[in-house]
Amino acid sequence: MCSDASAAAIEFVRANTAPGAPPLLPGIELCLASEVTPLWQATEAALDAAQLPPPYWAFAWAGGQALARYLLEHPEIVAGSDVLDVGAGSGLVAIAAMKAGARSATAAEIDPFAAAAIGLNAARNGVAITVETGDLIGRIPAPWTIVLVGDMCYERPLAERLVAWLRALAHNGAKVLLGDPGRAYLPKEGLAALARYDVPTPRELEDRPMRETMVWQLAPRWAPPRDAGRMARYM
């Protein structure tokens, strides 16, 4: 049974979005906002709190689209696995993981509106997803064998804290995949490229109509080679 707050969040999501499919994933339907500004204003008015986080959950960001598409094209990556989608937003990546054959998917998202959207989106796509509203970053050990991150390296403090945790999870045996359209705080080293996608993006959200977006695998606790400095002097 939903609490009053959860029921209000669910109603808010329904009232401020419409069903739609992300450009790269026509087989997945989400509750999406058609315009940025009205929803931004409605979110603030709903709780009368100017500090409420922006409604990132109402848009299918390029990094999440690319990562979700990669999972559907390579279902063997998640088949039979327990998956964590970090900073899940709409739940797109977790939904794609379940459609690709994951045994279970947990969507980690601290925004209560996002949690409501994930529940609605999961039901719309006929999959079961567990929503975790606590802050999981830093939690070790973690029970998930696959950890998925779509478009989370847009802010330095968050990215540094997140990546340090992700490397520790990778060191402990988890496979960590990131979808990223060239955000400023993506790690510069310790990444293996898996795929590239051109993702259509609205001008209201991005500075261009198309984002070249990569899917990466993160190496565990990466450190530069011991002779990297010496080599650099000769390059």
Side-chain angles (χ1 to χ4, degrees):
M1 180 179 297
C2 293
S3 67
D4 290 343
S6 296
I10 290 169
E11 181 55 35
F12 177 85
V13 172
R14 285 175 171 157
N16 289 279
T17 60
L24 219 59
L25 298 142
I28 294 179
E29 192 173 78
L30 304 173
C31 298
L32 298 173
S34 58
E35 296 181 53
V36 175
T37 303
L39 184 56
W40 237 260
Q41 295 171 341
T43 302
E44 291 189 349
L47 295 183
D48 192 28
Q51 298 302 312
L52 196 69
Y56 296 124
W57 51 267
F59 308 98
W61 298 87
Q65 288 195 56
L67 184 51
R69 178 66 177 265
Y70 181 76
L71 297 179
L72 293 174
E73 291 180 349
H74 301 275
E76 70 279 2
I77 298 292
V78 295
S81 298
D82 298 312
V83 170
L84 174 65
D85 178 10
V86 182
S90 67
L92 171 60
V93 175
I95 290 168
M98 290 301 292
K99 284 182 169 289
R103 181 171 64 177
S104 71
T106 298
E109 181 54 74
I110 61 175
D111 184 338
F113 291 107
I118 292 167
L120 292 171
N121 291 334
R124 185 175 293 278
N125 289 278
V127 297
I129 293 174
T130 299
V131 180
E132 172 58 66
T133 57
D135 185 356
L136 296 183
I137 297 178
R139 183 181 298 182
I140 296 176
W144 303 280
T145 54
I146 308 288
V147 179
L148 308 168
V149 184
D151 223 329
M152 287 282 286
C153 293
Y154 53 86
E155 182 182 73
R156 184 192 293 274
L158 171 62
E160 290 179 349
R161 180 171 170 251
L162 173 67
V163 171
W165 176 57
L166 294 175
R167 289 205 195 279
L169 295 181
H171 181 78
N172 287 342
K175 178 176 288 187
V176 179
L177 305 183
L178 300 90
D180 187 89
R183 301 301 182 204
Y185 302 109
L186 180 75
K188 300 300 187 288
E189 285 92 12
L191 295 171
L194 301 179
R196 183 187 68 83
Y197 299 93
D198 291 325
V199 184
T201 53
R203 280 302 184 99
E204 295 92 339
L205 296 179
E206 302 283 1
D207 60 356
R208 66 200 73 172
M210 188 80 69
R211 275 274 185 182
E212 180 182 282
T213 304
M214 298 295 297
V215 177
W216 305 95
Q217 182 169 350
L218 186 70
R221 292 182 178 172
W222 184 89
R226 291 181 179 179
D227 60 350
R230 183 177 60 189
M231 291 174 63
R233 291 196 295 271
Y234 296 95
M235 294 177 65

